[in-house]
Amino acid sequence: MSEQETPAGERNHLKTMLVIDDDEHFLEHTSRYFRNWIRVECVPDGLSGLVQTIKLEPDIILLNFRAAKVNCAELCRKIRDISSGLLFVLADEGMGGEERIACFEAGADDVMSSSFNWKELMLRIQVLLRRGSSMDAKQDAASVLHFGPLRMDRTTFRAFVLDQDLILTRKEFSILWAMAAKPGEIVSRQELLRRVWNYNPTDDDRMIDTHLNRLRKKLHRASERIRIKTAWGIGYKLESLSIAAMLILMLQWCADML
């Protein structure tokens, strides 16, 4: 395998990748392939991975489904609780569709076949690192965005509703930013796929549903004033309700209870 040149724009800042895998041959290839632009650290199992995630604060985490030694989705969830780094899961033939979805629901940014192409993996990582939340150039120019009680900071990937931290994954943050950047407008599923996942839509886009469901729950726990409304067959729109509108809804709810 030929040595890779350092990608333009990455030379001045070496990223850190934590690889959770017990295959020495795979670890050797990973270190060799990315060594010019990513510092690679390796651990053999999920528990060691959690410890090193806290210690290293890696930019990228590459988790082999087989090496997790515990429930993969649960490990993804624990990693996501302590890290905002990009989380890739490598799935073997024994990993079913429901398990893949569970990993997405637990915060994985991508799930790839363990028989992946090295060049493809490198390109996926480059795209996500460079584009961050995959916004268009106009949105990238702004680092802070306000929408009603919602405040988002793209430099830290943190979002607050009435000063309550939503604690979002990068994918959840990117979805919310894409909608908040277009107040009052409907954002289609196809547009979310292009902006957040950076690929053209296919029939299999259930990953959007899993991320949206988690995002809706987090918004609901923070406040009823901001919510994601579904435009059936079209897309989604972020709504911010005024205090007056909230009072009207409460009065209607009380009237319905009588």
Side-chain angles (χ1 to χ4, degrees), residues 6-254:
T6 307
E10 301 292 343
R11 295 183 178 88
N12 296 326
H13 179 61
L14 202 63
K15 303 292 185 182
T16 300
M17 174 192 284
L18 176 63
V19 181
I20 304 174
D21 199 315
D22 56 1
D23 185 333
E24 293 184 3
H25 182 69
F26 175 80
L27 297 177
E28 180 183 349
H29 271 294
T30 306
S31 299
R32 183 185 307 164
Y33 199 85
F34 292 106
R35 64 185 175 188
N36 281 347
W37 66 286
I38 292 180
R39 180 169 66 95
V40 178
E41 299 287 341
C42 306
V43 293
D45 55 64
L47 180 58
S48 302
L50 289 174
V51 173
Q52 289 300 99
T53 297
I54 296 173
K55 180 180 178 181
L56 299 174
E57 298 183 355
D59 301 285
I60 308 138
I61 301 166
L62 189 60
L63 167 63
N64 192 314
F65 165 72
R66 173 182 45 77
K69 304 291 176 65
V70 293
N71 181 278
C72 192
E74 184 60 29
L75 180 57
C76 287
R77 188 171 291 107
K78 291 183 181 300
I79 289 174
R80 188 51 71 214
D81 286 342
I82 59 177
S83 172
S84 61
L86 299 176
L87 177 56
F88 287 80
V89 175
L90 299 181
D92 60 20
E93 294 180 355
M95 189 179 196
E98 292 302 318
E99 289 176 300
R100 289 171 178 263
I101 292 173
C103 287
F104 277 119
E105 290 178 327
D109 291 290
D110 204 349
V111 178
M112 298 179 61
S113 168
S114 56
S115 58
F116 66 91
N117 178 281
W118 284 96
K119 182 68 173 179
E120 178 187 357
L121 175 61
M122 184 181 73
L123 290 174
R124 284 175 183 252
I125 291 174
Q126 285 182 24
V127 166
L128 289 173
L129 286 177
R130 288 175 177 173
R131 298 190 180 182
S133 52
S134 300
M135 305 299 172
D136 59 28
K138 183 177 180 180
Q139 291 176 8
D140 283 342
S143 60
V144 178
L145 188 151
H146 294 268
F147 181 73
L150 172 68
R151 176 172 59 86
M152 304 183 70
D153 187 340
R154 202 177 63 82
T155 62
T156 59
F157 289 95
R158 297 180 71 184
F160 301 84
V161 173
L162 301 175
D163 293 327
Q164 179 176 336
D165 193 340
L166 296 178
I167 312 179
L168 304 178
T169 67
R170 287 203 180 193
K171 281 290 186 290
E172 291 165 353
F173 183 94
S174 299
I175 292 170
L176 189 58
W177 182 285
M179 290 187 286
K182 292 189 171 184
E185 297 183 28
I186 296 174
V187 180
S188 69
R189 293 172 68 90
Q190 291 76 14
E191 184 175 354
L192 286 176
L193 279 170
R194 284 192 294 268
R195 288 189 177 183
V196 180
W197 280 270
N198 196 46
Y199 66 79
N200 290 325
T202 65
D203 292 334
D204 184 18
D205 58 2
R206 290 181 61 190
M207 67 182 75
I208 294 181
D209 299 323
T210 60
H211 287 285
L212 276 171
N213 288 338
R214 294 184 64 197
L215 184 55
R216 278 185 164 122
K217 290 177 182 178
K218 292 180 180 181
L219 289 171
H220 179 74
R221 285 197 297 264
S223 174
E224 292 282 355
R225 286 186 57 193
I226 189 159
R227 59 188 182 181
I228 298 172
K229 184 176 181 180
T230 300
W232 295 106
I234 304 176
Y236 308 92
K237 179 172 67 173
L238 193 64
E239 289 188 338
S240 175
L241 300 180
S242 65
I243 295 177
M246 285 296 301
L247 288 174
I248 292 173
L249 287 176
M250 290 178 65
L251 289 173
Q252 290 176 342
W253 179 77
C254 291

